[in-house]
C-alpha cells in the first residue's frame, strides 16, 4: 500500500466518522430554529384551504393478551375529547387473547366502548389484520349512519398507549386542511425511570421528533404504529385492507398513502405514551422485527422513484429512511474491519501505512469514542430544552448509554437480514409491565 493510498483511507475514514456528528448538529439546528415557524405556516395554509375539521373520532386499540394494561388504555381513550366537546368512541380488537383480557374488557361498562372479539383461525394473523377488521366495522357503521368518511378520523393507540388530553383537538387542527389525510403525533415513554426506558425516551422525544419534523417540511412524514390518526376516506381509497401483513404495517401504510397523494402531517404538540421495553433480549427482538419490516418495505423503492406525485427532495428523504440502516451497518463493519486489520498488523510486526503505530491506533480509538458519544449528549440537551421534564444528570446518563443502544440496533439489523433471507416471519408478542390503574387521560407535558 502506497503513502497516497494510506492517506486516502485515513481521509475517507475520518469523513465517515465525522458525518454523523455533523449531520446531528444540522438536524438539531433545524429542529430548534425552524419547526415553530413551519408549524405556523401549516396552520395558515389549513385555514386558507377551508374547513374539513373532523366531527367523529374512533380510537382502535389492538389487543392480544393485554390484561395488565388494556384497562388503563381504554379508560384513558374514553376520556379523550375533540372539537365542540366531541367524545371518541373506542373499539378494542381482542385478537384471540387467552389471558384475562376479555374479563378486563367485560368489566368496563361504557356506551362508547365496542369490543370486537376475533377467534381462531382468523385471529392472530398479525396486527395489520386486526386493524383491518376494526376498520371494516367502522366503515360499515359510518355508512349506515350516513356520515361522510371525510369527517371521520380513526386513531390507533396500542394496548399500552395513553394519549394526551389535547390529542384529538390537535389532530383536528392539523386536519382542518382537506388535503391532509393522516397525522402522526409525538411518542413518549412512561417508564423512563429505568435506564433503557430513559434511552428510548431520548430516542423518541428528541431524535425521532426532530426527524419527523424535518420530514414534515418536505411531505415525507412516516406513520408510527402508535399515535397515528387517519381520515376514513383516505383508508377507503386503499381498499378493503389498508394495513398489510408487513412487520411494520404502519410504515407501509404511510408509503402507500404518499404514493396515493395523501398529505401526512406530524405534530409534537400532542403525544401518546407507551411502555419502554426494559429487557435487552426483548428489546433486541423488537428492533429486529422493526428492521425486518423496514427491509420488507424496500419493495416500494421502484414505485417511489417512478411516482410523479413525489418530488426529488421527498424521494431522497424516503430513500434515506429506507436504506440508511443498512448502509450504517455496512459502514460500521468496514470501519471495524479496517481498525482490526491495522491492530493485527501492529501485533505481527507488519503495520498498515494508515495506522503505523500503537499510539496512532489509540488516538483513532479516542476520536471514535468522542464521535460516538457526542450525538447522545447533544440530543440530551435538546430533550431538556424542549420538554424540561427530566433532569440533566438523568439525560446525560441516557446519553452515555446511547452508543450501546446503537450497537444493539446494528445487531438487530443483521439479525433481520438473516431472518428475511431464511423466510422467518413469526414473532412473539412484546411483554407489558403492570401499572397503577387510572380512569382518565394523563396530562402529558408537550412543548408550547
Amino acid at each position: 500500500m502506497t503513502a497516497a493510498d494510506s492517506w486516502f483511507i485515513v481521509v475517507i475514514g475520518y469523513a465517515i466518522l465525522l458525518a454523523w456528528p455533523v449531520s446531528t448538529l444540522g438536524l438539531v439546528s433545524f429542529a430548534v430554529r425552524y419547526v415553530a415557524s413551519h408549524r405556523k405556516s401549516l396552520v395558515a395554509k389549513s385555514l386558507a384551504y377551508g374547513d374539513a375539521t373532523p366531527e367523529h373520532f374512533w380510537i382502535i386499540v389492538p389487543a392480544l393478551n393485554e390484561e395488565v394494561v388494556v384497562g388503563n388504555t381504554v379508560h384513558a381513550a374514553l376520556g379523550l375529547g375533540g372539537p365542540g366537546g366531541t367524545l371518541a368512541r373506542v373499539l378494542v380488537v381482542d385478537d384471540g387473547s387467552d389471558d384475562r383480557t376479555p374479563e378486563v374488557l367485560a368489566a368496563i361498562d361504557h356506551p362508547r366502548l365496542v369490543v370486537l372479539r376475533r377467534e381462531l383461525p382468523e385471529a392472530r394473523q398479525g396486527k395489520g389484520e386486526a386493524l383491518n377488521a376494526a376498520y371494516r366495522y367502522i366503515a360499515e357503521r359510518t355508512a349506515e349512519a350516513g356520515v361522510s368518511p371525510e369527517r371521520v378520523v380513526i386513531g390507533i393507540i396500542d394496548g399500552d398507549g395513553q394519549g394526551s388530553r389535547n390529542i384529538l383537538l390537535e389532530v383536528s387542527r392539523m386536519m382542518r386542511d382537506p388535503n391532509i389525510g393522516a397525522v402522526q403525533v409525538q411518542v413518549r415513554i412512561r417508564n423512563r425511570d429505568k435506564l433503557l426506558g430513559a434511552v428510548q425516551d431520548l430516542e423518541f422525544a428528541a431524535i425521532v421528533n426532530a426527524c419527523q419534523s424535518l420530514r414534515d417540511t418536505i411531505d415525507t412524514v412516516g406513520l408510527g404504529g402508535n399515535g397515528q390518526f387517519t381520515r376514513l376516506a383516505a383508508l377507503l381509497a386503499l381498499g378493503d385492507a389498508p394495513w398489510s401483513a408487513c412487520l411494520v404495517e404502519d410504515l407501509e401504510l404511510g408509503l402507500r398513502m404518499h404514493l396515493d397523494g395523501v398529505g401526512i402531517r406530524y405534530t409534537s404538540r400532542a403525544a401518546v405514551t407507551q411502555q419502554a421495553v426494559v429487557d435487552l433480549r426483548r428489546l433486541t427482538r423488537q428492533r429486529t422485527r422493526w428492521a425486518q419490516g423496514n427491509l420488507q418495505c424496500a419493495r416500494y423503492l421502484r414505485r417511489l422513484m417512478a411516482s410523479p406525485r413525489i418530488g426529488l427532495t421527498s424521494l431522497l428523504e424516503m430513500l434515506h429512511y429506507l436504506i440508511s440502516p443498512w448502509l450504517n451497518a455496512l459502514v460500521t463493519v468496514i470501519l471495524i474491519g479496517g481498525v482490526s486489520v491495522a491492530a493485527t498488523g501492529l501485533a505481527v510486526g507488519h503495520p498498515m501505512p494508515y495506522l503505523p503505530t500503537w499510539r496512532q491506533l489509540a488516538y483513532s480509538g479516542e476520536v471514535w469514542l468522542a464521535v460516538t458519544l457526542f450525538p447522545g449528549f447533544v440530543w440530551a440537551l435538546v430533550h431538556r430544552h424542549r420538554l424540561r421534564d427530566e433532569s440533566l444528570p438523568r439525560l446525560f446518563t441516557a446519553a452515555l448509554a446511547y452508543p450501546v443502544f446503537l450497537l444493539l440496533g446494528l445487531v438487530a439489523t443483521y439479525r433481520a437480514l438473516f431472518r428475511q433471507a431464511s423466510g422467518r416471519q413469526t414473532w412473539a408478542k412484546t411483554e407489558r409491565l403492570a401499572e397503577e390503574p387510572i380512569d382518565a387521560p394523563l396530562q402529558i407535558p408537550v412543548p408550547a
Side-chain angles (χ1 to χ4, degrees), residues 184 212 215 220-224 250-251 254 258 264 266 321:
Q184 175 63 44
Q212 286 279 51
R215 294 174 192 139
T220 60
V221 171
L223 292 177
D250 47 302
L251 172 60
H258 282 301
I264 304 176
Y266 172 77
Y321 183 75

Side-chain angles (χ1 to χ4, degrees), residues 19-20 22-24 27 207 210-212 214-215 218 220 251 255 294-295 297-298 300-301 304-305 310-329 379:
W20 184 25
V22 169
S23 63
T24 295
L27 185 56
I207 305 171
C211 292
Q212 286 279 51
L214 172 61
R215 294 174 192 139
I218 54 177
T220 60
L251 172 60
L255 292 175
N294 183 285
L295 185 61
C297 287
Y300 284 92
L301 289 176
L304 289 170
M305 289 187 287
I310 299 176
L312 179 60
T313 304
S314 299
L315 175 62
L316 291 175
E317 171 57 25
M318 290 182 183
L319 294 178
H320 172 264
Y321 183 75
L322 289 172
I323 296 174
S324 61
W326 309 97
L327 290 179
N328 291 340
W379 289 120

Side-chain angles (χ1 to χ4, degrees), residues 260-340:
D260 214 32
V262 176
I264 304 176
R265 288 289 173 243
Y266 172 77
T267 178
S268 62
R269 290 173 59 88
V272 61
T273 67
Q274 64 187 37
Q275 289 186 350
V277 182
V278 293
D279 176 85
L280 276 175
R281 180 178 60 83
R282 293 169 182 169
L283 181 59
T284 304
R285 185 174 65 196
Q286 179 200 65
R287 296 308 167 107
T288 301
R289 175 172 59 83
W290 291 1
Q292 188 174 354
N294 183 285
L295 185 61
Q296 291 172 345
C297 287
R299 65 178 181 270
Y300 284 92
L301 289 176
R302 181 177 297 179
R303 290 176 59 187
L304 289 170
M305 289 187 287
S307 174
R309 292 191 173 104
I310 299 176
L312 179 60
T313 304
S314 299
L315 175 62
L316 291 175
E317 171 57 25
M318 290 182 183
L319 294 178
H320 172 264
Y321 183 75
L322 289 172
I323 296 174
S324 61
W326 309 97
L327 290 179
N328 291 340
L330 178 62
V331 168
T332 300
V333 169
I334 292 173
L335 288 174
I336 292 175
V339 173
S340 299

